[in-house]
Amino acid sequence: MSTTPDAAPLDDLHARVLDWYADHARDLPWRAPDRTPWGVLVSEVMLQQTPVARVLPRWLEWLDRWPTPSDLAAAAPGEAVRAWDRLGYPRRALRLHAAAVAIRDEHGGQVPAEHAQLLALPGVGAYTAAAVASFAFGQRHAVVDTNVRRVHARAVTGAAEPATALTAAEQRLAVALLPAEAPTAARWAVAVMELGALVCTARSPRCGDCPLLERCAWVLAGRPAHDGPARRGQAWAGTDRQVRGKLLAVLRAAADPVSATELAACWPEDRQRARCLDGLVADGLVEPLDDGRYCLPRT
DNA sequence: CACTCGTGGAT
DNA sequence: TATCCAAGAGT
Protein backbone atom coordinates (compact mmCIF):
# COMPACT_ATOMS: atom_id res chain seq x y z
CA MET A 1 0.00 0.00 0.00
CA SER A 2 1.49 3.29 -1.04
CA THR A 3 2.06 5.77 1.71
CA THR A 4 0.29 8.82 0.45
CA PRO A 5 1.85 11.92 1.92
CA ASP A 6 -0.35 14.21 3.94
CA ALA A 7 -2.77 16.08 1.79
CA ALA A 8 -1.64 19.60 1.06
CA PRO A 9 -2.68 21.90 3.89
CA LEU A 10 -5.24 23.69 1.74
CA ASP A 11 -6.82 20.44 0.58
CA ASP A 12 -6.94 19.28 4.17
CA LEU A 13 -8.65 22.51 5.20
CA HIS A 14 -11.22 22.19 2.43
CA ALA A 15 -11.91 18.52 3.18
CA ARG A 16 -12.44 19.10 6.88
CA VAL A 17 -14.89 21.95 6.38
CA LEU A 18 -16.75 20.42 3.42
CA ASP A 19 -17.14 17.07 5.21
CA TRP A 20 -18.40 18.84 8.31
CA TYR A 21 -20.90 20.83 6.24
CA ALA A 22 -22.20 17.69 4.55
CA ASP A 23 -23.16 16.37 7.97
CA HIS A 24 -24.24 19.51 9.80
CA ALA A 25 -25.72 21.99 7.33
CA ARG A 26 -29.05 23.40 8.43
CA ASP A 27 -32.03 22.61 6.25
CA LEU A 28 -32.91 26.16 5.28
CA PRO A 29 -35.50 26.87 2.56
CA TRP A 30 -33.22 29.21 0.63
CA ARG A 31 -30.83 26.26 0.28
CA ALA A 32 -33.49 23.84 -0.98
CA PRO A 33 -33.12 22.36 -4.47
CA ASP A 34 -36.19 24.25 -5.70
CA ARG A 35 -34.93 27.61 -4.54
CA THR A 36 -34.70 30.45 -7.05
CA PRO A 37 -32.04 33.16 -7.41
CA TRP A 38 -34.73 35.60 -6.30
CA GLY A 39 -35.30 33.58 -3.16
CA VAL A 40 -31.58 33.59 -2.48
CA LEU A 41 -31.37 37.36 -2.99
CA VAL A 42 -34.31 37.98 -0.66
CA SER A 43 -32.76 35.74 1.99
CA GLU A 44 -29.39 37.46 1.78
CA VAL A 45 -30.88 40.93 2.20
CA MET A 46 -33.11 39.79 5.06
CA LEU A 47 -30.17 38.11 6.77
CA GLN A 48 -28.07 41.27 6.79
CA GLN A 49 -27.57 41.86 10.53
CA THR A 50 -30.61 39.72 11.32
CA PRO A 51 -30.72 36.20 12.86
CA VAL A 52 -31.95 33.23 10.83
CA ALA A 53 -34.72 32.41 13.27
CA ARG A 54 -36.31 35.81 12.77
CA VAL A 55 -35.90 35.77 9.00
CA LEU A 56 -37.48 32.37 8.34
CA PRO A 57 -41.19 33.23 8.70
CA ARG A 58 -40.85 36.53 6.83
CA TRP A 59 -38.94 34.88 3.99
CA LEU A 60 -41.65 32.25 3.57
CA GLU A 61 -44.33 34.95 3.46
CA TRP A 62 -42.42 37.10 1.01
CA LEU A 63 -41.70 34.29 -1.42
CA ASP A 64 -45.31 33.13 -1.24
CA ARG A 65 -46.63 36.62 -1.86
CA TRP A 66 -43.98 37.83 -4.30
CA PRO A 67 -42.51 34.70 -5.95
CA THR A 68 -40.67 36.73 -8.62
CA PRO A 69 -38.97 40.13 -8.73
CA SER A 70 -41.72 41.43 -11.01
CA ASP A 71 -44.34 40.49 -8.44
CA LEU A 72 -42.67 42.63 -5.82
CA ALA A 73 -41.96 45.41 -8.31
CA ALA A 74 -45.70 45.64 -9.02
CA ALA A 75 -46.48 46.27 -5.36
CA ALA A 76 -46.27 49.62 -3.59
CA PRO A 77 -42.95 50.09 -1.78
CA GLY A 78 -44.91 50.69 1.40
CA GLU A 79 -46.27 47.15 1.18
CA ALA A 80 -42.71 45.86 1.21
CA VAL A 81 -42.02 47.96 4.30
CA ARG A 82 -45.16 46.64 5.95
CA ALA A 83 -44.39 43.02 5.10
CA TRP A 84 -40.86 43.53 6.38
CA ASP A 85 -42.55 43.60 9.76
CA ARG A 86 -39.97 43.88 12.54
CA LEU A 87 -36.90 42.49 10.84
CA GLY A 88 -35.19 45.80 11.53
CA TYR A 89 -33.32 48.23 9.29
CA PRO A 90 -36.47 48.78 7.17
CA ARG A 91 -34.53 50.63 4.50
CA ARG A 92 -33.55 47.16 3.39
CA ALA A 93 -37.19 46.51 2.42
CA LEU A 94 -37.24 49.69 0.38
CA ARG A 95 -34.00 48.79 -1.36
CA LEU A 96 -35.17 45.25 -2.05
CA HIS A 97 -38.25 46.71 -3.68
CA ALA A 98 -36.06 49.05 -5.73
CA ALA A 99 -33.88 46.09 -6.67
CA ALA A 100 -36.98 44.23 -7.87
CA VAL A 101 -37.93 47.20 -10.05
CA ALA A 102 -34.41 47.32 -11.49
CA ILE A 103 -34.45 43.57 -12.16
CA ARG A 104 -37.80 43.87 -13.94
CA ASP A 105 -36.83 46.94 -15.96
CA GLU A 106 -33.19 46.27 -16.71
CA HIS A 107 -32.75 42.51 -16.52
CA GLY A 108 -35.90 41.10 -18.08
CA GLY A 109 -37.27 40.10 -14.71
CA GLN A 110 -34.42 37.67 -14.01
CA VAL A 111 -31.94 38.13 -11.18
CA PRO A 112 -28.64 38.81 -12.96
CA ALA A 113 -25.89 36.25 -12.49
CA GLU A 114 -22.94 38.56 -12.98
CA HIS A 115 -21.30 39.90 -9.85
CA ALA A 116 -20.98 43.43 -11.26
CA GLN A 117 -24.66 43.55 -12.19
CA LEU A 118 -25.67 42.25 -8.78
CA LEU A 119 -23.46 44.85 -7.12
CA ALA A 120 -25.26 47.59 -9.02
CA LEU A 121 -28.62 46.64 -7.46
CA PRO A 122 -29.90 48.76 -4.55
CA GLY A 123 -29.08 47.23 -1.19
CA VAL A 124 -26.58 44.80 -2.69
CA GLY A 125 -23.01 45.35 -1.53
CA ALA A 126 -19.84 43.34 -1.91
CA TYR A 127 -20.95 40.57 0.42
CA THR A 128 -24.45 40.08 -0.99
CA ALA A 129 -23.29 40.22 -4.61
CA ALA A 130 -20.72 37.51 -3.95
CA ALA A 131 -23.17 35.46 -1.92
CA VAL A 132 -25.86 35.45 -4.61
CA ALA A 133 -23.36 34.76 -7.40
CA SER A 134 -21.98 31.88 -5.36
CA PHE A 135 -25.07 30.38 -3.71
CA ALA A 136 -27.59 30.92 -6.48
CA PHE A 137 -25.37 30.55 -9.53
CA GLY A 138 -22.54 28.31 -8.31
CA GLN A 139 -19.79 30.75 -9.18
CA ARG A 140 -16.36 31.05 -7.59
CA HIS A 141 -16.28 34.13 -5.38
CA ALA A 142 -14.78 35.05 -2.04
CA VAL A 143 -17.87 35.41 0.14
CA VAL A 144 -16.72 37.37 3.15
CA ASP A 145 -19.18 38.05 5.93
CA THR A 146 -18.69 38.38 9.66
CA ASN A 147 -18.82 34.59 10.15
CA VAL A 148 -16.20 33.93 7.51
CA ARG A 149 -13.97 36.67 8.83
CA ARG A 150 -14.13 35.16 12.31
CA VAL A 151 -13.33 31.64 11.11
CA HIS A 152 -10.42 32.92 9.04
CA ALA A 153 -9.13 35.05 11.90
CA ARG A 154 -9.08 32.12 14.28
CA ALA A 155 -8.36 29.06 12.21
CA VAL A 156 -5.85 30.63 9.82
CA THR A 157 -4.54 33.89 11.25
CA GLY A 158 -4.63 32.87 14.90
CA ALA A 159 -6.47 35.92 16.21
CA ALA A 160 -9.45 35.82 18.54
CA GLU A 161 -11.43 38.30 16.44
CA PRO A 162 -11.12 39.89 13.03
CA ALA A 163 -10.31 43.58 12.67
CA THR A 164 -13.03 46.17 13.08
CA ALA A 165 -13.40 46.70 9.36
CA LEU A 166 -12.71 44.32 6.49
CA THR A 167 -9.08 44.74 5.47
CA ALA A 168 -7.38 44.13 2.15
CA ALA A 169 -5.39 41.36 3.80
CA GLU A 170 -8.56 39.58 4.83
CA GLN A 171 -9.97 39.86 1.34
CA ARG A 172 -6.74 38.48 -0.12
CA LEU A 173 -6.76 35.61 2.33
CA ALA A 174 -10.35 34.73 1.44
CA VAL A 175 -9.43 34.62 -2.24
CA ALA A 176 -6.33 32.55 -1.55
CA LEU A 177 -8.36 29.99 0.37
CA LEU A 178 -10.90 29.42 -2.43
CA PRO A 179 -10.98 25.94 -3.96
CA ALA A 180 -10.06 25.95 -7.65
CA GLU A 181 -13.27 24.54 -9.07
CA ALA A 182 -16.37 26.73 -9.01
CA PRO A 183 -18.83 24.15 -7.63
CA THR A 184 -16.44 23.30 -4.80
CA ALA A 185 -15.73 26.96 -4.14
CA ALA A 186 -19.46 27.63 -3.86
CA ARG A 187 -19.89 24.83 -1.33
CA TRP A 188 -16.80 26.02 0.53
CA ALA A 189 -18.24 29.52 0.80
CA VAL A 190 -21.49 28.43 2.39
CA ALA A 191 -19.72 25.81 4.51
CA VAL A 192 -17.28 28.26 6.12
CA MET A 193 -20.14 30.62 6.82
CA GLU A 194 -22.14 27.81 8.41
CA LEU A 195 -19.17 26.80 10.54
CA GLY A 196 -18.92 30.35 11.83
CA ALA A 197 -22.64 30.49 12.52
CA LEU A 198 -22.93 27.16 14.35
CA VAL A 199 -19.52 26.33 15.85
CA CYS A 200 -16.97 29.12 15.59
CA THR A 201 -19.34 31.62 17.16
CA ALA A 202 -18.47 35.04 18.48
CA ARG A 203 -19.34 34.55 22.13
CA SER A 204 -18.43 31.03 23.16
CA PRO A 205 -17.06 28.94 20.31
CA ARG A 206 -17.83 25.23 20.49
CA CYS A 207 -14.30 24.14 19.69
CA GLY A 208 -15.06 20.59 20.76
CA ASP A 209 -17.36 20.26 17.75
CA CYS A 210 -15.00 21.96 15.30
CA PRO A 211 -13.48 20.01 12.42
CA LEU A 212 -10.52 22.41 12.48
CA LEU A 213 -9.68 22.02 16.17
CA GLU A 214 -6.42 20.12 15.59
CA ARG A 215 -5.17 22.69 13.13
CA CYS A 216 -6.76 25.91 14.35
CA ALA A 217 -4.08 28.59 14.56
CA TRP A 218 -5.86 30.37 17.41
CA VAL A 219 -6.18 27.19 19.50
CA LEU A 220 -2.59 26.17 18.75
CA ALA A 221 -1.47 29.61 19.91
CA GLY A 222 -3.19 29.06 23.25
CA ARG A 223 -6.31 31.06 22.45
CA PRO A 224 -4.83 34.52 22.95
CA ALA A 225 -7.30 37.23 23.90
CA HIS A 226 -8.37 39.86 21.43
CA ASP A 227 -5.76 42.61 21.43
CA GLY A 228 -7.35 45.25 19.22
CA PRO A 229 -9.78 47.93 20.35
CA ALA A 230 -13.02 46.67 21.85
CA ARG A 231 -15.94 47.19 19.55
CA ARG A 232 -18.14 49.88 21.00
CA GLY A 233 -21.63 48.73 21.74
CA GLN A 234 -24.51 50.39 19.99
CA ALA A 235 -26.56 52.69 22.15
CA TRP A 236 -30.26 52.32 21.91
CA ALA A 237 -32.34 54.07 24.56
CA GLY A 238 -33.28 57.53 23.43
CA THR A 239 -31.58 57.32 20.07
CA ASP A 240 -33.07 58.38 16.77
CA ARG A 241 -33.11 54.75 15.78
CA GLN A 242 -35.48 53.96 18.61
CA VAL A 243 -37.74 56.86 17.70
CA ARG A 244 -37.73 55.98 14.02
CA GLY A 245 -38.63 52.44 14.96
CA LYS A 246 -41.58 53.58 17.06
CA LEU A 247 -42.86 55.94 14.37
CA LEU A 248 -42.63 53.33 11.66
CA ALA A 249 -44.26 50.70 13.86
CA VAL A 250 -47.33 52.92 14.14
CA LEU A 251 -47.47 53.41 10.37
CA ARG A 252 -46.98 49.71 9.68
CA ALA A 253 -49.87 48.82 11.93
CA ALA A 254 -52.21 51.47 10.55
CA ALA A 255 -54.46 50.62 7.62
CA ASP A 256 -55.13 54.30 6.99
CA PRO A 257 -52.94 57.41 7.01
CA VAL A 258 -51.98 58.62 10.47
CA SER A 259 -52.22 62.16 11.82
CA ALA A 260 -49.31 64.00 13.38
CA THR A 261 -51.23 63.92 16.65
CA GLU A 262 -51.34 60.15 16.62
CA LEU A 263 -47.64 59.96 15.85
CA ALA A 264 -46.90 62.33 18.73
CA ALA A 265 -48.18 59.67 21.11
CA CYS A 266 -45.18 57.43 20.48
CA TRP A 267 -42.48 59.91 21.51
CA PRO A 268 -42.80 62.94 23.81
CA GLU A 269 -39.93 65.14 22.61
CA ASP A 270 -41.22 67.23 19.74
CA ARG A 271 -37.80 68.18 18.45
CA GLN A 272 -36.46 64.67 18.14
CA ARG A 273 -39.72 63.25 16.87
CA ALA A 274 -39.90 65.86 14.12
CA ARG A 275 -36.31 65.26 13.13
CA CYS A 276 -36.87 61.53 12.93
CA LEU A 277 -40.08 61.88 10.96
CA ASP A 278 -38.32 64.16 8.50
CA GLY A 279 -35.56 61.60 8.24
CA LEU A 280 -38.01 58.82 7.49
CA VAL A 281 -39.61 60.97 4.79
CA ALA A 282 -36.19 61.79 3.34
CA ASP A 283 -35.37 58.08 3.31
CA GLY A 284 -38.59 57.35 1.43
CA LEU A 285 -39.90 55.18 4.23
CA VAL A 286 -42.76 57.58 4.99
CA GLU A 287 -44.95 59.61 2.65
CA PRO A 288 -46.42 62.92 3.84
CA LEU A 289 -49.89 63.64 2.52
CA ASP A 290 -51.32 67.03 1.59
CA ASP A 291 -53.75 66.88 4.49
CA GLY A 292 -50.91 66.68 7.01
CA ARG A 293 -51.19 62.97 7.64
CA TYR A 294 -48.56 60.34 6.99
CA CYS A 295 -48.50 56.85 5.51
CA LEU A 296 -46.13 54.25 4.12
CA PRO A 297 -44.92 55.11 0.59
CA ARG A 298 -47.52 54.34 -2.08
CA THR A 299 -45.31 54.98 -5.04
C1' DC B 1 -13.13 55.53 7.52
C1' DA B 2 -16.36 56.32 11.17
C1' DC B 3 -20.87 56.57 11.57
C1' DT B 4 -25.81 55.60 11.04
C1' DC B 5 -29.46 52.55 10.52
C1' DG B 6 -33.91 48.19 14.04
C1' DT B 7 -35.00 44.47 16.61
C1' DG B 8 -35.30 41.04 20.10
C1' DG B 9 -33.38 36.60 21.85
C1' DA B 10 -29.44 34.86 24.42
C1' DT B 11 -26.25 35.18 28.20
C1' DT C 1 -30.88 43.56 34.35
C1' DA C 2 -27.42 45.16 31.10
C1' DT C 3 -24.81 43.85 27.47
C1' DC C 4 -23.96 41.41 23.36
C1' DC C 5 -24.73 40.80 18.76
C1' DA C 6 -27.03 38.55 14.19
C1' DA C 7 -25.39 36.22 6.37
C1' DG C 8 -24.05 44.67 5.78
C1' DA C 9 -24.99 48.75 2.98
C1' DG C 10 -24.63 53.52 2.18
C1' DT C 11 -22.70 57.87 3.08
Side-chain angles (χ1 to χ4, degrees), chain A residues 114-132:
Chain A
E114 283 185 31
H115 183 276
Q117 295 184 323
L118 288 163
L119 193 57
L121 295 173
V124 176
Y127 161 76
T128 301
V132 173

PDB file of all heavy atoms in Angstrom, chain A residues 114-132:
ATOM      1  N   GLU A 114     -24.276  37.956 -13.031  1.00  0.00           N
ATOM      2  CA  GLU A 114     -22.944  38.563 -12.978  1.00  0.00           C
ATOM      3  C   GLU A 114     -22.763  39.385 -11.708  1.00  0.00           C
ATOM      4  O   GLU A 114     -23.626  40.182 -11.333  1.00  0.00           O
ATOM      5  CB  GLU A 114     -22.718  39.459 -14.198  1.00  0.00           C
ATOM      6  CG  GLU A 114     -22.418  38.690 -15.464  1.00  0.00           C
ATOM      7  CD  GLU A 114     -22.071  39.627 -16.619  1.00  0.00           C
ATOM      8  OE1 GLU A 114     -21.512  40.715 -16.339  1.00  0.00           O
ATOM      9  OE2 GLU A 114     -22.365  39.277 -17.765  1.00  0.00           O
ATOM     10  N   HIS A 115     -21.610  39.216 -11.100  1.00  0.00           N
ATOM     11  CA  HIS A 115     -21.299  39.904  -9.851  1.00  0.00           C
ATOM     12  C   HIS A 115     -21.450  41.417  -9.992  1.00  0.00           C
ATOM     13  O   HIS A 115     -22.036  42.077  -9.136  1.00  0.00           O
ATOM     14  CB  HIS A 115     -19.875  39.557  -9.412  1.00  0.00           C
ATOM     15  CG  HIS A 115     -19.469  40.153  -8.107  1.00  0.00           C
ATOM     16  ND1 HIS A 115     -18.978  41.428  -7.992  1.00  0.00           N
ATOM     17  CD2 HIS A 115     -19.523  39.657  -6.843  1.00  0.00           C
ATOM     18  CE1 HIS A 115     -18.721  41.690  -6.723  1.00  0.00           C
ATOM     19  NE2 HIS A 115     -19.038  40.623  -6.006  1.00  0.00           N
ATOM     20  N   ALA A 116     -20.932  41.972 -11.073  1.00  0.00           N
ATOM     21  CA  ALA A 116     -20.979  43.427 -11.262  1.00  0.00           C
ATOM     22  C   ALA A 116     -22.412  43.922 -11.382  1.00  0.00           C
ATOM     23  O   ALA A 116     -22.748  45.004 -10.888  1.00  0.00           O
ATOM     24  CB  ALA A 116     -20.174  43.821 -12.494  1.00  0.00           C
ATOM     25  N   GLN A 117     -23.260  43.148 -12.031  1.00  0.00           N
ATOM     26  CA  GLN A 117     -24.659  43.551 -12.187  1.00  0.00           C
ATOM     27  C   GLN A 117     -25.411  43.422 -10.863  1.00  0.00           C
ATOM     28  O   GLN A 117     -26.274  44.233 -10.552  1.00  0.00           O
ATOM     29  CB  GLN A 117     -25.324  42.711 -13.275  1.00  0.00           C
ATOM     30  CG  GLN A 117     -24.727  42.963 -14.663  1.00  0.00           C
ATOM     31  CD  GLN A 117     -25.447  42.197 -15.754  1.00  0.00           C
ATOM     32  OE1 GLN A 117     -25.879  41.061 -15.543  1.00  0.00           O
ATOM     33  NE2 GLN A 117     -25.566  42.817 -16.915  1.00  0.00           N
ATOM     34  N   LEU A 118     -25.067  42.397 -10.104  1.00  0.00           N
ATOM     35  CA  LEU A 118     -25.671  42.254  -8.783  1.00  0.00           C
ATOM     36  C   LEU A 118     -25.270  43.419  -7.892  1.00  0.00           C
ATOM     37  O   LEU A 118     -26.079  43.993  -7.170  1.00  0.00           O
ATOM     38  CB  LEU A 118     -25.241  40.931  -8.147  1.00  0.00           C
ATOM     39  CG  LEU A 118     -25.856  39.673  -8.747  1.00  0.00           C
ATOM     40  CD1 LEU A 118     -25.057  38.437  -8.338  1.00  0.00           C
ATOM     41  CD2 LEU A 118     -27.308  39.540  -8.315  1.00  0.00           C
ATOM     42  N   LEU A 119     -23.998  43.773  -7.956  1.00  0.00           N
ATOM     43  CA  LEU A 119     -23.461  44.846  -7.123  1.00  0.00           C
ATOM     44  C   LEU A 119     -24.135  46.178  -7.412  1.00  0.00           C
ATOM     45  O   LEU A 119     -24.215  47.041  -6.537  1.00  0.00           O
ATOM     46  CB  LEU A 119     -21.946  44.956  -7.345  1.00  0.00           C
ATOM     47  CG  LEU A 119     -21.127  45.792  -6.362  1.00  0.00           C
ATOM     48  CD1 LEU A 119     -21.304  45.296  -4.947  1.00  0.00           C
ATOM     49  CD2 LEU A 119     -19.654  45.749  -6.759  1.00  0.00           C
ATOM     50  N   ALA A 120     -24.618  46.334  -8.623  1.00  0.00           N
ATOM     51  CA  ALA A 120     -25.262  47.594  -9.017  1.00  0.00           C
ATOM     52  C   ALA A 120     -26.689  47.696  -8.489  1.00  0.00           C
ATOM     53  O   ALA A 120     -27.288  48.772  -8.545  1.00  0.00           O
ATOM     54  CB  ALA A 120     -25.253  47.724 -10.540  1.00  0.00           C
ATOM     55  N   LEU A 121     -27.245  46.610  -7.966  1.00  0.00           N
ATOM     56  CA  LEU A 121     -28.620  46.643  -7.460  1.00  0.00           C
ATOM     57  C   LEU A 121     -28.670  47.348  -6.108  1.00  0.00           C
ATOM     58  O   LEU A 121     -27.743  47.220  -5.297  1.00  0.00           O
ATOM     59  CB  LEU A 121     -29.160  45.218  -7.309  1.00  0.00           C
ATOM     60  CG  LEU A 121     -29.321  44.408  -8.596  1.00  0.00           C
ATOM     61  CD1 LEU A 121     -29.701  42.966  -8.254  1.00  0.00           C
ATOM     62  CD2 LEU A 121     -30.353  45.037  -9.515  1.00  0.00           C
ATOM     63  N   PRO A 122     -29.753  48.091  -5.854  1.00  0.00           N
ATOM     64  CA  PRO A 122     -29.899  48.761  -4.552  1.00  0.00           C
ATOM     65  C   PRO A 122     -29.865  47.760  -3.403  1.00  0.00           C
ATOM     66  O   PRO A 122     -30.503  46.703  -3.476  1.00  0.00           O
ATOM     67  CB  PRO A 122     -31.283  49.421  -4.652  1.00  0.00           C
ATOM     68  CG  PRO A 122     -31.548  49.545  -6.111  1.00  0.00           C
ATOM     69  CD  PRO A 122     -30.868  48.374  -6.758  1.00  0.00           C
ATOM     70  N   GLY A 123     -29.138  48.074  -2.371  1.00  0.00           N
ATOM     71  CA  GLY A 123     -29.077  47.227  -1.194  1.00  0.00           C
ATOM     72  C   GLY A 123     -28.154  46.036  -1.329  1.00  0.00           C
ATOM     73  O   GLY A 123     -28.040  45.237  -0.395  1.00  0.00           O
ATOM     74  N   VAL A 124     -27.504  45.911  -2.465  1.00  0.00           N
ATOM     75  CA  VAL A 124     -26.578  44.800  -2.691  1.00  0.00           C
ATOM     76  C   VAL A 124     -25.148  45.320  -2.664  1.00  0.00           C
ATOM     77  O   VAL A 124     -24.736  46.047  -3.560  1.00  0.00           O
ATOM     78  CB  VAL A 124     -26.867  44.092  -4.027  1.00  0.00           C
ATOM     79  CG1 VAL A 124     -25.826  43.003  -4.285  1.00  0.00           C
ATOM     80  CG2 VAL A 124     -28.264  43.505  -4.033  1.00  0.00           C
ATOM     81  N   GLY A 125     -24.400  44.944  -1.656  1.00  0.00           N
ATOM     82  CA  GLY A 125     -23.011  45.346  -1.533  1.00  0.00           C
ATOM     83  C   GLY A 125     -22.088  44.206  -1.899  1.00  0.00           C
ATOM     84  O   GLY A 125     -22.515  43.208  -2.505  1.00  0.00           O
ATOM     85  N   ALA A 126     -20.844  44.335  -1.530  1.00  0.00           N
ATOM     86  CA  ALA A 126     -19.837  43.344  -1.909  1.00  0.00           C
ATOM     87  C   ALA A 126     -20.195  41.955  -1.393  1.00  0.00           C
ATOM     88  O   ALA A 126     -20.085  40.966  -2.125  1.00  0.00           O
ATOM     89  CB  ALA A 126     -18.473  43.769  -1.371  1.00  0.00           C
ATOM     90  N   TYR A 127     -20.615  41.879  -0.143  1.00  0.00           N
ATOM     91  CA  TYR A 127     -20.948  40.575   0.416  1.00  0.00           C
ATOM     92  C   TYR A 127     -22.112  39.935  -0.326  1.00  0.00           C
ATOM     93  O   TYR A 127     -22.035  38.784  -0.781  1.00  0.00           O
ATOM     94  CB  TYR A 127     -21.277  40.658   1.914  1.00  0.00           C
ATOM     95  CG  TYR A 127     -22.045  39.428   2.330  1.00  0.00           C
ATOM     96  CD1 TYR A 127     -21.386  38.223   2.501  1.00  0.00           C
ATOM     97  CD2 TYR A 127     -23.438  39.442   2.425  1.00  0.00           C
ATOM     98  CE1 TYR A 127     -22.083  37.061   2.784  1.00  0.00           C
ATOM     99  CE2 TYR A 127     -24.141  38.290   2.703  1.00  0.00           C
ATOM    100  CZ  TYR A 127     -23.464  37.107   2.883  1.00  0.00           C
ATOM    101  OH  TYR A 127     -24.155  35.954   3.135  1.00  0.00           O
ATOM    102  N   THR A 128     -23.239  40.659  -0.421  1.00  0.00           N
ATOM    103  CA  THR A 128     -24.455  40.083  -0.986  1.00  0.00           C
ATOM    104  C   THR A 128     -24.269  39.713  -2.455  1.00  0.00           C
ATOM    105  O   THR A 128     -24.767  38.678  -2.912  1.00  0.00           O
ATOM    106  CB  THR A 128     -25.632  41.053  -0.800  1.00  0.00           C
ATOM    107  OG1 THR A 128     -25.807  41.314   0.595  1.00  0.00           O
ATOM    108  CG2 THR A 128     -26.920  40.474  -1.356  1.00  0.00           C
ATOM    109  N   ALA A 129     -23.534  40.538  -3.201  1.00  0.00           N
ATOM    110  CA  ALA A 129     -23.288  40.218  -4.609  1.00  0.00           C
ATOM    111  C   ALA A 129     -22.520  38.909  -4.729  1.00  0.00           C
ATOM    112  O   ALA A 129     -22.861  38.039  -5.550  1.00  0.00           O
ATOM    113  CB  ALA A 129     -22.518  41.360  -5.272  1.00  0.00           C
ATOM    114  N   ALA A 130     -21.501  38.745  -3.918  1.00  0.00           N
ATOM    115  CA  ALA A 130     -20.716  37.511  -3.955  1.00  0.00           C
ATOM    116  C   ALA A 130     -21.542  36.325  -3.485  1.00  0.00           C
ATOM    117  O   ALA A 130     -21.439  35.222  -4.041  1.00  0.00           O
ATOM    118  CB  ALA A 130     -19.462  37.663  -3.092  1.00  0.00           C
ATOM    119  N   ALA A 131     -22.357  36.544  -2.467  1.00  0.00           N
ATOM    120  CA  ALA A 131     -23.169  35.459  -1.922  1.00  0.00           C
ATOM    121  C   ALA A 131     -24.182  34.956  -2.947  1.00  0.00           C
ATOM    122  O   ALA A 131     -24.340  33.746  -3.131  1.00  0.00           O
ATOM    123  CB  ALA A 131     -23.888  35.927  -0.654  1.00  0.00           C
ATOM    124  N   VAL A 132     -24.859  35.863  -3.627  1.00  0.00           N
ATOM    125  CA  VAL A 132     -25.863  35.450  -4.612  1.00  0.00           C
ATOM    126  C   VAL A 132     -25.182  34.781  -5.805  1.00  0.00           C
ATOM    127  O   VAL A 132     -25.645  33.747  -6.298  1.00  0.00           O
ATOM    128  CB  VAL A 132     -26.712  36.658  -5.063  1.00  0.00           C
ATOM    129  CG1 VAL A 132     -27.638  36.268  -6.210  1.00  0.00           C
ATOM    130  CG2 VAL A 132     -27.527  37.197  -3.891  1.00  0.00           C
TER     131      VAL A 132
END
